[in-house]
């Protein structure tokens, strides 16, 4: 439930409202907004009686929040959330571009990638150090060595780092290096990991599970936010369907639907979303046209030598071309890169 | 199989090649191109022996066409096909916008819709007269009366008409009125209907079945083209997935994949693709950004009174806003509306 | 809406009720049942007012039918429907087994198949004469010649014939030969074809579309029954999912769900449902255990030479083994083969 | 790669073969079989050269294992694996039935459930203590208290316990109580958890992810087995599709496909597979008819009061009826309960 306060509410009125909520065994969350302040209520197991709060001094309105998610909803917080990652704002007027290889593979590879994507105009560097792989016999990443290499490139280029955390055991280590913690698709409903990153304040890039509904994605974000970490960025990365010509089916509908239902920033991952190099650029443009707040793109200095995801990685020159087109489409929808 | 001719091939050389193909019981199709002429071969049940033709005078190369579709493939015809519908070219530099109500419901409704979409800048009028409906108890369309009303609005506005043909029985009637015959998603593999429209020369808008793979869509187009009607336009309209927040999942990946694999024009139907009014505009922009040659959008003078698909129909003012944004995105990708 | 009559209703009372329904512009359908008679009402576009009929003499109860399908629902007709196909009852205590090749290919092949499946205990012969194929370049069936061959084998073996009708153009021809008309998965929502078979009284085997919901399957059956043909048999044949190890995903849940919601017989097609020869038998047994009224199985004298579906066809000996197991599982669930 | 030894191989010959494998930097796994012994080789990143081992004394044959999974494949180990859980063999001639509530809710509830399922003939007791829930606001289980209650009921009834472990943090605790550790669908690709249970020897019930392919399920099992824990039981529990009348689509095809490809036991979860109480029994029977080695069924003393999954739970009397039918179907396929 959400209590909307009047613009002229006084501090004592607001304090009294919060106290009443607590006296009912519930938790009040103050949500300041541009135009008005609201108080969200959590902790109830069923529906609440709005009449309890409707007529209190300072209350403009009380609205039920019908969705099973609350803190991440637009009803709860009408204004867009902007998450700042080491100085880079995500979710505002400007489109954010994250780029880099699927996996950190070597000193040379990641430095080359970092310099390349910086030169092409990227705002952040991506790269996996701990890789969840379908087979136990595949390359599992350089682990801590990979994180150190990412930090080296950050020191050189100034690009903030986004990298995946795959379990709670390595979370503390990854969080030492990462500016933005990526939760992968397979972990979207790893609730223990969601709670653990919810206890931090490091921003989180939460990827949609490969067969998760949008409602489930929002619920997963709710796990993180309800633990106290408001810095969540949603990521559409394609869902699993019957189509086999592409690796996944990028759900373009998810972009406007998530933006409408939630105040959180939404990023698109066209690389996994289509999984075919020649189509990555077009899908990236589509996501921006549909209202995404940014893209995350796999770029490798030499895709044909990549240890993972080579078939969907752009080389630096191809990425540069996509950047140019992204800038034009961003401008067409009133934004910039 | 495809025989690529040399730029300097002579007419007698080409005639000799065609004669040899026929002598093998096969059918040669001459495909003129901007840079070179090719001869496609059909009629074979298995693989052909390229050696038969490789060394003939005038032959540059012989290439196997590995996909199960041939005539609709890029290998077969590298240049984009432009289908002209009553003077409106589809598949060229300019984006085509088709708009109008799901169903023709009354004289007033369709005239109002036609004037509205013309004023907003649409190039064609859509409207269903024969409606395939999931339930036998739902509104099935005005039938011939609906076709007559569409023709009236065409006479008034000059807008060519696209309308659905749902069976072979009514094909002759619908073809009398329609400038572009729409084959609906449920009929994408109604092979008898595909063959029947293949025997005409009226352009065909072929919608992807709700669980059809892209390969199956191309095979369905091949049915039409192989009967002699080259005027086929492919239409992505969303596929069926587990997601329930939207009516379908618009497969944005389909746009670049179809453009890469086929020379046929590709149109997007964001109205059915997402099925939620507020998201129709964003998905339309996305499709153009990804390379679609046009969009088909449901517009109703008063969506709340629509007999079908009201929840996904724009009103004329909303459509006007989308048109403005479409023009900007089209320009960003080097095209115009 | 459904009017349940009292056990002691008199003929004049019933006639008066029917007359009143008609006077409201609606259509009454008398549905005799083992325990009670009911009158179903169709022809209404929206909800009906039960109060109109509730207090009439002879009326026990009036119930709204909430689903979008009516005539095929259990609420409408609580007792199982038994459809009789040339003397073979389908939907009763006994399990029905239909078997034979995907396509009729030659005199020898279909005679051999017919004799083989008869010897193994099948009750009906299946075989396609008009084949809908994904590619225009594939074998499309022997057409009328195939029907004639099926009739020959019926004359020899006494087995009734089930064969597919793929369009309205060939319906009259196919109906001359077929004892049970099969509507294929791709035609489940070919409403013109549904209406055309609804105008006959020949029994119809209606296959579920490859991405049709169970509700849509029931609505498709409603199309046929509402035109006057009550002899509809539902067929689960697998749906399209992301799984690629099997051709389709046989939806075993469909068996109990359809039996619960509808009074129509339900047949399983394990051959298309799994598409892998070694798994056809296990899936057939599963369907019977779950409550199916029968199975339709592809059997070919020499599967490796089949022109279509060889990979999922059993040979006669394999089919004989499956028949033995089917008999044991049928008995375990209180039925017989 | 797999080295098949001759029946008359001597111990020194076998030792020499193993030593050679190790000298190549690879790991030999001795797999004793009823008829012959085999040595599996892992540790290679690419294909191996069979010629290296083909002609050694004692070697009958060397076969490449083409699938990406090895240790769990039938090629690797042709004989069925029987996993013994506190004296209950799973995967042999006898069908295993696990039953109990979704969640342990109270002392009374779990004792009542335990006594009820024992009386009805179940072999194991299921019950969740740590519950992964889609929403952070839903009941998350009684945690350690729930485990203690399960142990109490085990002490009273003698039924071994199967309960879910949801993360590595609580694994040691759960493993103290559980006889069979359940990995839930959402954790099927939680590779850190898979590795952690792979380091134990406690048997593991590995549930298929809701959109995992069968190949991915086998790869997940490979993670566990390759760490040294051979006691893995696969569990089909339904996949996510477009169908909404049921909670999931139980993939009956998975039963014969998994049994064919793998030597591991396969258990069916009809409760989650269909999610509708009235259909749980029919789907359970179907799974046994298709070759499953057992079923796991949700049973609650009073389903209408259940804190989770009430709509798909049987009460004790309903479960008793299903047990009777299961016994008859098991017998029909040559097994017993």
């Amino acid at each position: 439930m959400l209590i909307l306060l009047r613009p002229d509410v006084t501090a004592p009125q607001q304090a009294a409202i919060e106290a009443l909520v607590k006296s009912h065994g519930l938790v009040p969350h103050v949500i300041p907004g541009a135009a008005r302040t609201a108080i969200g209520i959590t902790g109830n197991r069923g529906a609440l009686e709005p009449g309890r709060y409707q007529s209190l001094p300072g209350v403009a309105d009380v609205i039920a929040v019908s969705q099973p998610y609350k803190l991440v909803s637009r009803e709860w917080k009408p204004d867009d959330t902007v998450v700042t990652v080491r100085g880079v704002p995500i979710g505002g007027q400007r489109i954010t571009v994250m780029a880099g290889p699927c996996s950190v593979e070597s000193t040379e590879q990641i430095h080359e990638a970092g310099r390349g994507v910086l030169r092409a105009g990227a705002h952040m560097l991506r790269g996996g150090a701990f890789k969840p792989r379908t087979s136990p016999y595949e390359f599992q990443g350089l682990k801590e060595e990979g994180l150190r290499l990412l930090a080296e490139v950050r020191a050189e280029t100034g690009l903030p780092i986004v990298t995946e955390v795959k379990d709670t055991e390595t979370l503390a280590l990854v969080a030492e290096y990462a500016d933005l913690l990526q939760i992968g698709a397979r972990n979207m409903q790893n609730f223990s990991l969601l709670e653990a990153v919810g206890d931090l304040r490091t921003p989180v890039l939460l990827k949609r599970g490969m067969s998760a509904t949008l409602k489930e994605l929002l619920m997963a974000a709710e796990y993180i936010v309800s633990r106290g970490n408001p810095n969540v960025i949603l990521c559409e990365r394609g869902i699993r369907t019957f189509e086999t010509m592409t690796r996944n089916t990028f759900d373009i509908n998810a972009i406007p639907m998530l933006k409408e239902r939630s105040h959180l920033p939404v990023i698109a991952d066209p690389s996994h979303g289509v999984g075919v190099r020649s189509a990555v650029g077009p899908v990236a443009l589509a996501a921006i046209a549909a209202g995404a707040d940014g893209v995350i793109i796999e770029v490798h200095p030499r895709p044909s030598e990549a240890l993972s995801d080579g078939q969907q990685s752009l080389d630096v020159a191809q990425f540069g071309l996509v950047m140019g087109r992204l800038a034009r489409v961003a401008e067409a929808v009133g934004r910039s890169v």
Side-chain angles (χ1 to χ4, degrees), chain A residues 121-150:
Chain A
H123 310 108
M124 290 183 62
L125 176 66
R126 64 152 288 156
F130 290 89
K131 300 295 302 173
R133 300 304 297 271
T134 303
S135 161
Y137 307 125
E138 290 175 316
F139 175 60
Q140 314 266 327
L142 293 183
K143 306 201 165 75
E144 187 165 4
E145 171 65 10
L147 295 173
R148 272 197 301 267
L149 292 173
L150 285 168

Side-chain angles (χ1 to χ4, degrees), chain A residues 21 28-29 45 48 59-60 82 144 163 177 180 185 209 219 225 234 243 247 255 257 281 295 300 315 319 335:
Chain A
V21 168
H29 302 251
R45 295 238 163 254
L48 288 173
V59 170
V82 177
E144 187 165 4
T163 194
Y177 292 89
L180 176 58
M219 299 295 281
V225 177
L234 304 173
E243 179 59 60
R247 179 172 175 176
I255 308 291
M257 296 310 292
V295 290
H300 192 285
D315 65 25
F319 175 63
R335 303 180 81 164

Side-chain angles (χ1 to χ4, degrees), chain A residues 88 94-99 113-125 159 295 316 319-324 326-327 336-337:
Chain A
V88 174
R94 202 170 140 201
I95 295 299
T96 308
V97 180
M98 313 175 188
R115 283 177 214 134
V117 304
L118 175 68
R119 207 167 49 233
H123 310 108
M124 290 183 62
L125 176 66
L159 294 171
V295 290
V316 174
F319 175 63
L321 289 172
V322 170
M323 281 300 289
L326 276 173
S336 62
V337 172

Side-chain angles (χ1 to χ4, degrees), chain A residues 65 67 69-83 91 206 214-215 217-222 225 230-235 254-267 291 293:
Chain A
V65 176
Q67 291 89 341
Y69 47 87
K70 298 183 179 183
L71 306 174
V72 304
S73 73
R74 275 273 174 210
E75 289 176 342
W76 188 263
K77 176 169 180 296
D79 300 325
D80 282 351
T81 287
V82 177
V83 174
L206 178 64
L214 295 174
K215 196 168 105 176
L217 172 59
L218 291 169
M219 299 295 281
E222 185 88 7
V225 177
N231 301 309
V232 177
I233 300 164
L234 304 173
C235 181
I255 308 291
M257 296 310 292
L258 289 173
K259 293 299 294 180
E260 184 176 297
R261 302 294 175 98
S262 177
H263 54 82
L264 297 175
V266 177
I267 292 288
D293 297 304

Side-chain angles (χ1 to χ4, degrees), chain A residues 90 96 102 123 138 149 151 154 176 222 242 274 284 307 313:
Chain A
I90 301 176
T96 308
C102 175
H123 310 108
E138 290 175 316
L149 292 173
R154 173 174 58 196
E176 264 181 56
E222 185 88 7
F242 59 82
V274 62
L307 294 184
S313 296

Side-chain angles (χ1 to χ4, degrees), chain A residues 194-230:
Chain A
L194 297 180
E195 289 174 357
V197 299
D199 291 337
L200 306 177
R201 290 301 170 273
T202 311
V204 176
L205 183 72
L206 178 64
K207 291 197 150 188
R208 181 183 186 181
M210 67 182 78
S211 69
T213 62
L214 295 174
K215 196 168 105 176
E216 287 169 340
L217 172 59
L218 291 169
M219 299 295 281
E222 185 88 7
Y223 259 93
I224 301 172
V225 177
S226 69
R227 295 287 282 214
N229 187 347

